[in-house]
Amino acid sequence: MKIIKKLVVLSIITLGLLITTIQSTYAFSIPQSNTNSISEVDIYSFEEVDGDLIVNFYYSNTLYTINTSVFQYYSVIDNEIGNTRYIVADVLESNQFNTTIDIAKIILYTFDHHVIDLDNLSIDIVVYIHQFQELVRVTDEIGYDIVQDLIPNSIEWLFGDDEISERLISSINIIENYSNASTHLTPSIVSFSAPGFWFEDGGEGGGGSSTPTIPNNIKSNAQNTVNLYQYDTYTNTDTFIDTYTLPNNSWRTADNKITDDDITKIIPKSLFFTAGIYTYVGQEYGFFVNTIKQQNYLYVVEVFVFDIEVIKPGMIVPVAEGKAKVIPLFQYKYYAREKGTMSSSDWNSSYSSSLSSVVYPHLSYDSPNYYLKNVAFRFTVDNFVTKNYGETGYNPNSDTGDFILQTRYNFSGEGKKTGRNSFVLDTALTAFGFVPGWGDALSLLQYGVEVYNNVSQGTYKENRQGIIFDNEINITTNYQYREDQILYYGNLLKSARILPKNQSDDFSNPLLVGTRIPNNYVQGIVLLTNEGGLSASQESRFYVSISLDVAFDGTSYLIWDWFPSGSVNTVDSSGSVYNYGNYKRGTQALNEHQIVANTITKNGETKYFKFIPSRSGTYTFETSGGSNTYLTIYDINGNVIATDDDSGDGFNAKIIQYLNRNNTYYIQAKMRYSAHTGSFNLKVGYATTGVLQLNTQVNFLLINQFNVYQFTVGITKEYVIQTLGTVNTIITIYDINGNIIAQNDNWYDSNGVYNLNARCVVSLNSGQVYYVKVSHSSYSNMIPYNVILLASPAY
């Protein structure tokens, strides 16, 4: 018996040592960031080709060319002195891409001067050269005659415009992000560190930060540079992440050859063959990649993919809610293999002959142990048509656009590691013979097998426990009314950042968001209002910025849970800002039968109306007047239901559309051409179901809708229009202008008997067109009834 116990324990100890060895062998290591100094070279020549400014420079005996005219330029204004300090190009937004260089920054400045001096200009360009994996600064003096088109055509940018120009901040501060090298430029030119030039990172309540923003939109590591928006051709759609499964058979061809896994549709294939760490936050999803080179032609690649869901503010009045959510989807290991690892015959026999390199699942190992942490959001809104803060003539007191009322933060993640079963306790019990049902070798051996299984299956491993914040946390509520916000904050709050709490590196047990526990996510919520609760009168733009860290959980317990070891390490960071499009707010509630007068006074102005039909049916929306109008109907989610240009009289728009009761719709009315202004009337009415003839019964089924029948009178006299049967109905009669001239629900006959049918006795004029609307008296009726409508002369 004792010998068997010793053998079991010895086997388990041997297994534990083996597991510890494996953990040490595959321990995660963090690549060191590149801290090399930036080389500086002079510009070789300037050229002007078809109006474009071309800059040439030599580096390591190679001539490089930059077309500076393709970038958007901004005149950077110093708030303290009110003058242009320098011109900077928003280079990170450009689609220009050179296989040998990436352009990080272009600045036009006046050396040792606070204000642009047209007689004393210099240009400063920073590029990343892939061939040498180095940053190079290209500088020189430049004449005004060469850049005379750049200065007047630049966009005036008031410092502190927040997310809209986050790329600009990144461009300006790019050098500090790569190197501590000294420069001949004054610090104010490089990093805004002069007094009054701090970047105000506005938080809730109109507050700010006293330190510059650290750009994370361009990432550097020892092997590569990842530029903001570089991989948007992938991340602008989530089609492939929605259908991706782990692992699947997509990496096998029909004849069982190894080919590329579908992961290459989600992450650029080139990243699987370039050693280093890459984090990319896109518009629809993001990814983290750790590529480890094993040998000349073989790479082991760890991948972590997370979804990004953004919901634009809805059309709810008076408060609109916008959301952004980050959801970890999966993480896995892959092989990336190039043809040079083996002979052509071996490659052709096992791998698809159409490829020279393949990426396929690394099936022999568990997925890596990465998490997201410190996920932060920023929501920014501005007016689409009317003026915004910083533009000439802007007045917050006349700004009818949305501003931020409240922000919230939701979280479902993982916290401190806690143990389940204890290997130490179980081993001790086994050693001293305290085994359930002990007394025979079989029961003890079975118990030893259970202990073995617990170790091998990770039951004894310390696990991170799920933490769910069911209710929103970090709630910040601002003043609700425009006047109060202007009084207390100095302006309307159009941008707010939502930060997590207790997720920083200095927290001993950081909160993490990963894939180990299902349904992990982080969500930011913003509530928008306007005019003290009234609705906005124009479209608004909705920007969302997301920043996050990627962490690796390197914690473990050595010698069977006795000693904790390792830590959670932040391995990379990234961020992004995207315009998620315009959204619309209803401006005026429409009745089911009315005419509303409107005037478009500004180019591009748009009017919106909210319409909730009480009953299902076919409605008519049309404009009248001398303007060329265009109508669109949206549902509450912003989907287009119907559009029209010229179906009405002249150039007026007209839409006839069946709409469902109690659903919210929005009607957009605007000029056909954005440069036009003018007045128009918007008429809401009912579309006819059929024609009512004198002394002729009309039979139809009535559920919870209405039917409208056109009735043309031949002789001026009194008429009886009624329903027949046992259905509780309502009749409403309109003239051609939509005025109600008669209505009835129930009536009493000559004998005093109460009748559920509707009956109108009304005098009508010869040659006039009237409309008879019939509906059930109950708004919740879901049973179809047979109804008879009859019009006859009164006797």
Side-chain angles (χ1 to χ4, degrees):
M1 179 75 70
K2 291 182 180 179
I3 294 175
I4 294 176
K5 289 182 181 178
K6 289 182 179 179
L7 287 175
V8 171
V9 174
L10 182 61
S11 299
I12 296 173
I13 291 174
T14 303
L15 176 64
L17 292 174
L18 178 60
I19 293 174
T20 303
T21 303
I22 293 174
Q23 289 177 338
S24 301
T25 302
Y26 292 95
F28 182 83
S29 61
I30 305 173
Q32 298 299 315
S33 62
N34 184 12
T35 58
N36 295 332
S37 299
I38 298 178
S39 302
E40 295 190 12
V41 299
D42 293 330
I43 292 175
Y44 174 71
S45 65
F46 296 104
E47 297 179 64
E48 188 172 345
V49 180
D50 296 329
D52 290 340
L53 175 61
I54 308 299
V55 176
N56 300 303
F57 69 95
Y58 275 98
Y59 184 74
S60 189
N61 298 321
T62 302
L63 179 65
Y64 295 93
T65 299
I66 302 170
N67 185 346
T68 66
S69 299
V70 301
F71 300 109
Q72 178 67 64
Y73 284 84
Y74 292 81
S75 298
V76 181
I77 309 299
D78 187 333
N79 288 328
E80 289 191 349
I81 63 177
N83 288 316
T84 302
R85 284 286 293 273
Y86 42 83
I87 311 294
V88 60
D90 194 356
V91 297
L92 303 185
E93 195 175 18
S94 171
N95 291 325
Q96 177 173 336
F97 180 77
N98 190 307
T99 56
T100 58
I101 63 173
D102 286 335
I103 302 175
K105 180 188 72 171
I106 302 176
I107 290 182
L108 185 70
Y109 67 98
T110 303
F111 186 65
D112 285 340
H113 284 274
H114 288 292
V115 182
I116 285 289
D117 180 359
L118 299 181
D119 296 326
N120 184 14
L121 293 174
S122 298
I123 191 168
D124 178 19
I125 305 173
V126 174
V127 299
Y128 179 81
I129 301 180
H130 290 271
Q131 179 182 358
F132 303 102
Q133 298 181 5
E134 292 180 0
L135 280 170
V136 176
R137 164 179 271 153
V138 184
T139 61
D140 210 337
E141 294 184 0
I142 189 169
Y144 173 68
D145 58 326
I146 299 178
V147 294
Q148 59 181 337
D149 292 332
L150 299 183
I151 295 177
N153 293 327
S154 61
I155 298 173
E156 186 177 276
W157 181 60
L158 295 177
F159 185 69
D161 270 358
D162 208 18
E163 296 294 348
I164 300 174
S165 291
E166 184 167 308
R167 308 181 201 88
L168 200 57
I169 298 294
S170 298
S171 301
I172 296 167
N173 288 331
I174 193 63
I175 297 176
E176 289 186 344
N177 197 37
Y178 283 109
S179 171
N180 296 322
S182 60
T183 171
H184 69 276
L185 295 178
T186 60
S188 61
I189 295 296
V190 176
S191 62
F192 288 128
S193 58
F197 256 75
W198 293 114
F199 174 64
E200 294 294 332
D201 184 16
E204 288 75 24
S209 171
S210 61
T211 56
T213 294
I214 299 174
N216 53 20
N217 303 79
I218 285 187
K219 301 220 51 65
S220 172
N221 53 58
Q223 287 78 27
N224 196 28
T225 300
V226 178
N227 293 289
L228 187 67
Y229 309 115
Q230 181 176 343
Y231 301 127
D232 277 5
T233 53
Y234 288 82
T235 60
N236 277 358
T237 174
D238 53 11
T239 300
F240 295 110
I241 67 170
D242 287 342
T243 58
Y244 187 73
T245 56
L246 275 173
N248 57 45
N249 294 320
S250 64
W251 50 282
R252 292 284 186 181
T253 62
D255 57 355
N256 206 33
K257 301 286 187 182
I258 296 176
T259 187
D260 281 333
D261 183 81
D262 281 346
I263 192 66
T264 57
K265 298 178 181 178
I266 299 172
I267 297 173
K269 186 174 178 179
S270 60
L271 296 184
F272 290 82
F273 294 92
T274 308
I277 283 180
Y278 315 89
T279 304
Y280 195 80
V281 179
Q283 185 168 11
E284 296 295 333
Y285 69 91
F287 56 78
F288 167 82
V289 177
N290 180 25
T291 301
I292 305 166
K293 193 170 186 178
Q294 297 280 326
Q295 48 188 273
N296 288 341
Y297 304 100
L298 175 64
Y299 300 84
V300 175
V301 186
E302 299 172 327
V303 165
F304 183 15
V305 177
F306 47 92
D307 192 15
I308 297 173
E309 296 179 356
V310 173
I311 300 176
K312 292 188 295 185
M315 301 185 194
I316 302 172
V317 177
V319 176
E321 182 179 83
K323 297 180 180 180
K325 194 173 186 180
V326 177
I327 309 167
L329 294 180
F330 62 87
Q331 47 184 309
Y332 211 72
K333 287 186 178 181
Y334 298 85
Y335 276 130
R337 187 182 293 273
E338 295 177 294
K339 192 172 183 178
T341 55
M342 57 190 72
S343 65
S344 298
S345 59
D346 290 334
W347 177 272
N348 291 334
S349 63
S350 300
Y351 299 87
S352 172
S353 58
S354 63
L355 299 175
S356 60
S357 63
V358 293
V359 175
Y360 56 96
H362 191 343
L363 299 178
S364 303
Y365 296 95
D366 291 335
S367 60
N369 202 12
Y370 293 106
Y371 294 87
L372 301 179
K373 59 180 290 189
N374 296 327
V375 182
F377 304 91
R378 182 184 288 280
F379 297 102
T380 301
V381 62
D382 68 9
N383 304 321
F384 180 63
V385 176
T386 59
K387 294 182 179 299
N388 292 288
Y389 174 75
E391 296 177 348
T392 303
Y394 172 79
N395 183 354
N397 291 292
S398 59
D399 186 347
T400 61
D402 278 352
F403 54 85
I404 294 175
L405 173 64
Q406 186 185 83
T407 59
R408 303 199 298 269
Y409 194 85
N410 269 358
F411 184 90
S412 175
E414 302 172 41
K416 181 180 180 180
K417 276 192 173 182
T418 58
R420 292 183 181 176
N421 303 324
S422 172
F423 175 70
V424 176
L425 178 60
D426 282 357
T427 303
L429 291 175
T430 303
F432 288 99
F434 295 102
V435 179
W438 77 285
D440 60 78
L442 182 60
S443 63
L444 181 59
L445 182 60
Q446 181 179 357
Y447 188 66
V449 170
E450 291 178 0
V451 173
Y452 171 85
N453 289 334
N454 286 332
V455 172
S456 63
Q457 296 174 8
T459 307
Y460 290 135
K461 182 180 179 181
E462 296 288 311
N463 293 287
R464 294 192 172 274
Q465 299 303 299
I467 296 177
I468 300 175
F469 293 140
D470 294 324
N471 299 314
E472 288 83 5
I473 61 172
N474 300 359
I475 299 177
T476 300
T477 302
N478 305 312
Y479 287 96
Q480 180 178 358
Y481 298 101
R482 182 209 296 128
E483 293 78 7
D484 291 336
Q485 286 210 359
I486 296 172
L487 176 63
Y488 288 96
Y489 307 139
N491 228 307
L492 293 176
L493 295 182
K494 299 280 190 171
S495 182
R497 193 176 185 193
I498 308 177
L499 297 171
K501 293 182 179 178
N502 298 333
Q503 296 185 63
S504 58
D505 283 327
D506 57 359
F507 190 65
S508 58
N509 296 295
L511 296 175
L512 305 175
V513 181
T515 59
R516 301 290 175 173
I517 295 179
N519 303 319
N520 274 200
Y521 72 91
V522 178
Q523 179 175 247
I525 301 172
V526 61
L527 298 184
L528 300 165
T529 188
N530 48 72
E531 291 195 276
L534 299 179
S535 53
S537 60
Q538 73 280 323
E539 296 180 58
S540 298
R541 281 180 292 232
F542 188 59
Y543 297 85
V544 177
S545 173
I546 300 175
S547 62
L548 51 84
D549 296 335
V550 178
F552 179 80
D553 185 4
T555 58
S556 61
Y557 282 76
L558 302 179
I559 316 181
W560 323 295
D561 286 350
W562 284 348
F563 301 106
S565 175
S567 61
V568 176
N569 300 310
T570 299
V571 297
D572 205 15
S573 303
S574 189
S576 67
V577 55
Y578 287 93
N579 176 4
Y580 279 89
N582 298 0
Y583 67 95
K584 314 160 192 69
R585 303 282 297 277
T587 60
Q588 180 178 347
L590 295 175
N591 296 324
E592 293 187 358
H593 219 282
Q594 71 174 127
I595 299 176
V596 180
N598 274 272
T599 301
I600 300 292
T601 60
K602 294 181 286 291
N603 294 344
E605 185 178 359
T606 306
K607 299 289 186 179
Y608 289 94
F609 305 88
K610 181 179 181 180
F611 182 65
I612 304 177
S614 61
R615 299 185 186 274
S616 299
T618 304
Y619 293 85
T620 300
F621 303 88
E622 61 180 316
T623 62
S624 60
S627 299
N628 190 349
T629 56
Y630 194 92
L631 289 178
T632 304
I633 300 178
Y634 299 90
D635 65 14
I636 195 171
N637 297 315
N639 300 312
V640 175
I641 302 299
T643 62
D644 184 70
D645 184 7
D646 295 326
S647 295
D649 293 334
F651 293 104
N652 283 281
K654 182 178 182 180
I655 294 177
I656 300 175
Q657 181 67 33
Y658 186 89
L659 303 178
N660 294 314
R661 73 183 188 96
N662 294 337
N663 285 8
T664 301
Y665 300 92
Y666 292 90
I667 290 80
Q668 177 199 68
K670 64 180 181 179
M671 295 292 116
R672 176 63 178 85
Y673 301 102
S674 60
H676 290 183
T677 59
S679 299
F680 63 90
N681 292 325
L682 175 63
K683 179 181 179 181
V684 185
Y686 306 107
T688 57
T689 308
V691 177
L692 179 62
Q693 302 287 348
L694 192 65
N695 295 320
T696 302
Q697 293 184 2
V698 177
N699 295 278
F700 56 91
L701 288 176
L702 192 67
I703 310 177
N704 206 333
Q705 87 282 7
F706 63 82
N707 283 1
V708 177
Y709 296 91
Q710 180 178 319
F711 180 51
T712 304
V713 176
I715 303 174
T716 299
K717 64 179 304 179
E718 197 171 51
Y719 292 86
V720 177
I721 300 177
Q722 61 184 326
T723 58
L724 304 176
T726 59
V727 182
N728 192 349
T729 53
I730 298 176
I731 288 179
T732 307
I733 302 176
Y734 301 87
D735 63 18
I736 196 170
N737 296 316
N739 300 311
I740 297 177
I741 61 173
Q743 189 175 52
N744 180 259
D745 184 359
N746 308 120
W747 59 288
Y748 292 88
D749 63 18
S750 59
N751 297 319
V753 177
Y754 186 72
N755 199 314
L756 294 178
N757 281 283
R759 185 173 187 265
C760 290
V761 181
V762 59
S763 179
L764 303 178
N765 296 322
S766 172
Q768 298 296 310
V769 176
Y770 298 90
Y771 297 94
V772 181
K773 176 188 173 188
V774 184
S775 59
H776 196 281
S777 63
S778 172
Y779 283 90
S780 59
N781 171 52
M782 301 303 295
I783 302 174
Y785 292 94
N786 185 48
V787 176
I788 298 174
L789 178 65
L790 177 65
S792 59
Y795 296 100

